[in-house]
């Protein structure tokens, strides 16, 4: 009997003659990826259909965040060393990953309020607000708020990792130090600022970026760095915005499971910038 392409099973066997099929002593695809561990990690606490969707979406996002963190750490180190080409590659990758995170909210938004409320109680006090990877990602980009470390105080090793990033220069601070090393004036108060303190928009930094934008041919690599940072923050804000609209669509103005103000809290996050001067300078050119 011929298959849909008009070729019989003998032809199919011939085409697959070179394929490995015996994995009794060789590593298989599933073994390499440890799929048994990965696919057994989804453990719904209710029998409601949409809880699996909810867990899978959040697992996918955490996996993407793991990769983002690695790319940000490498990019920061490269900027510190003035080696911008690999930094550009990493930052571009982060921006593309964030597009996948935005798309994940589209999938979650297929869950109706009734679907979510059917299993919401089993979440207890757990909330995305407690995602340590999300927190680390923000810290690497420059967010500094001691309060945000509190949900992780019960885990000493995790707290130490977050604290190390919290007390180290952010990607943006390293970028500004590089700008200064290239001979463009940046205020000492910014360059020598305590990394654990939140960066506040500075007029001198706006002027430094203005020099780069007005002389982009002379400072093209710094100009490209600026645009990579803008791309990154733009993608991050799109992710935040899509998160807000998805949550509002599913739970309305209810309080979040972790005790936050829900949508109101998420909307406030949209007002925060990692690289404020890169947005202000656009109106000065």
């Amino acid at each position: 009997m011929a298959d849909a392409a008009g070729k019989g099973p003998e032809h199919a066997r011939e085409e697959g003659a070179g394929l490995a099929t015996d994995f009794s002593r060789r590593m298989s695809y599933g073994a390499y990826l440890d799929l048994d561990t990965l696919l057994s990690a989804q453990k719904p606490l209710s029998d409601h259909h949409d809880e699996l969707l909810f867990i899978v979406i959040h697992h996918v996002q955490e996996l993407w965040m793991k990769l983002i963190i690695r790319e940000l750490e490498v990019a920061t180190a490269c900027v510190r060393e003035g080696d911008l080409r690999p930094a550009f590659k990493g930052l571009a990758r982060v921006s593309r990953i964030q597009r996948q995170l935005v798309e994940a909210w589209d999938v979650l938004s297929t869950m109706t309020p009734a679907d979510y409320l059917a299993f919401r109680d089993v979440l207890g006090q757990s909330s995305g607000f407690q995602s340590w990877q999300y927190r680390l990602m923000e810290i690497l980009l420059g967010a500094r708020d001691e309060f945000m470390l509190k949900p992780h105080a019960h885990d000493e090793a995790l707290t130490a990792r977050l604290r190390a990033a919290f007390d180290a220069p952010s990607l943006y601070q390293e970028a500004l130090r590089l700008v200064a090393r290239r001979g463009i004036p940046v205020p000492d108060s910014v360059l020598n600022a305590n990394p654990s303190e939140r960066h506040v928009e500075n007029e001198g930094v706006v002027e430094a970026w203005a020099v780069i934008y007005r002389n982009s041919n002379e400072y093209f690599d710094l100009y490209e760095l600026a645009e990579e940072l803008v791309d990154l923050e733009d993608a991050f804000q799109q992710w935040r915005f899509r998160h807000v609209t998805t949550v509002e669509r599913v739970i309305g103005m209810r309080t979040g499971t972790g005790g936050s103000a829900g949508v109101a809290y998420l909307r406030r996050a949209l007002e925060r910038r990692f690289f404020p001067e890169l947005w202000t300078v656009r109106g000065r050119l």
Side-chain angles (χ1 to χ4, degrees):
M1 182 178 179
D3 59 19
K7 299 175 181 179
E10 293 81 6
H11 181 79
R13 282 194 293 271
E14 289 175 4
E15 288 188 335
L19 294 176
T21 58
D22 182 0
F23 295 98
S24 58
R25 297 183 179 181
R26 288 185 286 186
M27 182 171 62
S28 69
Y29 170 83
Y32 173 70
L33 295 177
D34 197 8
L35 286 180
D36 287 345
T37 299
L38 179 65
L39 299 179
S40 64
Q42 296 75 46
K43 299 181 175 66
L45 299 179
S46 74
D47 58 0
H48 294 287
H49 177 78
D50 284 80
E51 189 183 357
L52 179 60
L53 164 67
F54 188 82
I55 293 172
V56 167
I57 289 295
H58 287 83
H59 275 178
V60 167
Q61 296 223 21
E62 290 291 338
L63 286 171
W64 278 129
M65 283 190 278
K66 180 176 183 178
L67 185 54
I68 286 176
I69 289 166
R70 181 187 183 193
E71 296 295 340
L72 289 178
E73 289 175 336
V74 171
T76 300
C78 289
V79 172
R80 183 183 305 119
E81 297 299 321
D83 189 9
L84 292 183
R85 287 187 178 182
F88 293 157
K89 180 178 180 179
L91 294 177
R93 181 174 292 168
V94 169
S95 296
R96 294 191 182 190
I97 293 170
Q98 288 186 305
R99 294 179 195 171
Q100 301 301 312
L101 292 171
V102 171
E103 292 295 325
W105 294 127
D106 287 343
V107 179
L108 188 61
S109 68
T110 63
M111 184 172 62
T112 69
D115 295 333
Y116 178 61
L117 291 174
F119 66 86
R120 188 176 192 257
D121 287 346
V122 306
L123 300 179
Q125 294 295 301
S126 63
S127 166
F129 173 81
Q130 299 148 18
S131 168
W132 71 264
Q133 288 202 122
Y134 179 83
R135 197 61 55 209
L136 178 55
M137 195 166 54
E138 283 200 324
I139 290 171
L140 292 171
L141 291 172
R144 298 293 191 269
D145 186 342
E146 287 278 353
F147 179 79
M148 296 302 183
L149 301 179
K150 289 186 175 181
H152 314 290
H154 64 284
D155 187 325
E156 290 186 7
L158 179 54
T159 297
R161 181 175 182 185
L162 294 173
R163 172 57 67 180
F166 195 90
D167 293 337
S170 68
L171 170 62
Y172 192 49
Q173 191 170 25
E174 293 292 4
L176 293 176
R177 290 178 175 180
L178 177 61
V179 168
R181 292 198 301 273
R182 294 286 296 275
I184 301 171
V186 176
D188 288 341
S189 60
V190 174
L191 297 176
N192 301 319
N194 184 342
S196 63
E197 296 180 359
R198 183 174 67 89
H199 174 72
V200 177
E201 185 170 347
N202 182 285
E203 184 62 27
V205 174
V206 175
E207 287 304 312
W209 287 121
V211 170
I212 292 168
Y213 273 87
R214 289 179 182 134
N215 301 277
S216 58
N217 288 335
E218 181 180 355
Y219 301 109
F220 190 79
D221 58 343
L222 296 179
Y223 169 74
E224 188 173 357
L225 174 60
E227 286 299 286
E228 290 287 356
L229 292 175
V230 170
D231 284 347
L232 192 156
E233 182 153 41
D234 189 5
F236 205 99
Q237 288 292 73
Q238 290 181 48
W239 179 23
R240 282 172 166 169
F241 177 76
R242 196 67 186 92
H243 187 189
V244 172
T245 57
T246 300
V247 171
E248 187 169 13
R249 175 172 177 162
V250 175
I251 71 169
M253 300 304 291
R254 291 172 179 267
T255 300
T257 49
S260 75
V263 169
Y265 168 79
L266 295 173
R267 282 179 177 167
R268 287 196 295 272
L270 288 171
E271 300 171 2
R272 296 195 293 268
R273 296 279 194 189
F274 297 117
F275 323 126
E277 293 89 354
L278 286 173
W279 298 92
T280 299
V281 74
R282 285 163 150 66
R284 306 284 182 87
L285 300 177

